Amino acid sequence: MATDDNDTFLAPPAVTALRQESVENQGRGKIERTSSMDILEEREDLKEAAEQTLNVILDLGLDGVVRWVSPSWKDVIGTTLDSVQGKPITDILLENKSVFTDAVESMKKDDSRSQIIRFCVKLGPASLLGKASMDESIDAEEEQTGREASELDNVLSLEAQGIM
């Protein structure tokens, strides 16, 4: 007949104390995290990802003002971060200036789904996507008049996906 070792020997005091503490903490679970801690951690993860990509991450307030933009903004759009942060997103858009406002309103009504929008911005001089850095695409542009081609070279069509 086999006997349980736990019944025949006394547990060391440290083990007994840990077992008792475990029983007392059973209702509490693991370390509790607040939602603000989660948000801060997610924001830091986004910042890290944004520094290593040509995708732009933009934090837009519900009022339509740009709160933060990833460092890749300068490489993609070609203007400084300061020229965008703290400014209304409508100042940056070339057309359909209400597209972000409409998306925010839609998300306010149903925040369980993300919104995807398309919009255009004017490229700045530091953009890696400008005509000077994309000489191999010149052949397709040569069919257009000089003025039309130059205007198109300075406009970037973008797609954004937003969540609350």
Side-chain angles (χ1 to χ4, degrees), residues 85-141:
Q85 290 177 335
K87 308 272 187 324
I89 191 71
T90 55
D91 290 356
I92 302 159
L93 303 176
L94 289 180
E95 54 193 36
N96 193 9
K97 298 215 177 231
S98 69
V99 68
F100 280 90
T101 305
D102 296 344
V104 168
E105 289 304 317
S106 178
M107 286 188 286
K108 282 181 181 178
K109 291 177 186 169
D110 180 9
D111 66 356
S112 66
R113 295 183 4 209
S114 65
Q115 294 290 313
I116 297 176
I117 59 172
R118 289 179 178 79
F119 59 98
C120 295
V121 297
K122 183 174 175 130
L123 288 178
S127 175
L128 297 177
L129 304 177
K131 189 174 195 299
S133 62
M134 301 185 89
D135 289 335
E136 60 273 2
S137 67
I138 290 177
D139 294 336
E141 300 292 337

Side-chain angles (χ1 to χ4, degrees), residues 31-63:
I31 296 174
E32 295 179 20
R33 292 178 54 104
T34 64
S35 60
S36 61
M37 290 170 68
D38 289 338
I39 290 170
L40 288 174
E41 185 177 322
E42 288 172 6
R43 191 173 194 167
E44 287 302 315
D45 289 346
L46 281 175
K47 283 182 181 180
E48 276 184 40
E51 290 171 356
Q52 301 170 14
T53 181
L54 281 182
N55 291 324
V56 173
I57 299 173
L58 185 127
D59 183 6
L60 185 66
L62 294 177
D63 58 358

Side-chain angles (χ1 to χ4, degrees), residues 19 60-61 74 126 156:
R19 284 183 185 155
L60 185 66
K74 186 174 181 185
L156 184 62

Side-chain angles (χ1 to χ4, degrees), residues 1-84:
M1 181 159 130
T3 62
D4 189 3
D5 286 341
N6 290 336
D7 293 338
T8 58
F9 297 107
L10 291 175
V15 172
T16 303
L18 287 171
R19 284 183 185 155
Q20 183 62 31
E21 185 178 327
S22 172
V23 169
E24 291 171 3
N25 290 334
Q26 213 166 18
R28 284 192 243 162
K30 295 187 179 186
I31 296 174
E32 295 179 20
R33 292 178 54 104
T34 64
S35 60
S36 61
M37 290 170 68
D38 289 338
I39 290 170
L40 288 174
E41 185 177 322
E42 288 172 6
R43 191 173 194 167
E44 287 302 315
D45 289 346
L46 281 175
K47 283 182 181 180
E48 276 184 40
E51 290 171 356
Q52 301 170 14
T53 181
L54 281 182
N55 291 324
V56 173
I57 299 173
L58 185 127
D59 183 6
L60 185 66
L62 294 177
D63 58 358
V65 173
V66 177
R67 298 185 331 181
W68 178 84
V69 66
S70 63
S72 58
W73 176 271
K74 186 174 181 185
D75 292 336
V76 175
I77 308 302
T79 59
T80 65
L81 303 180
D82 292 336
S83 71
V84 132

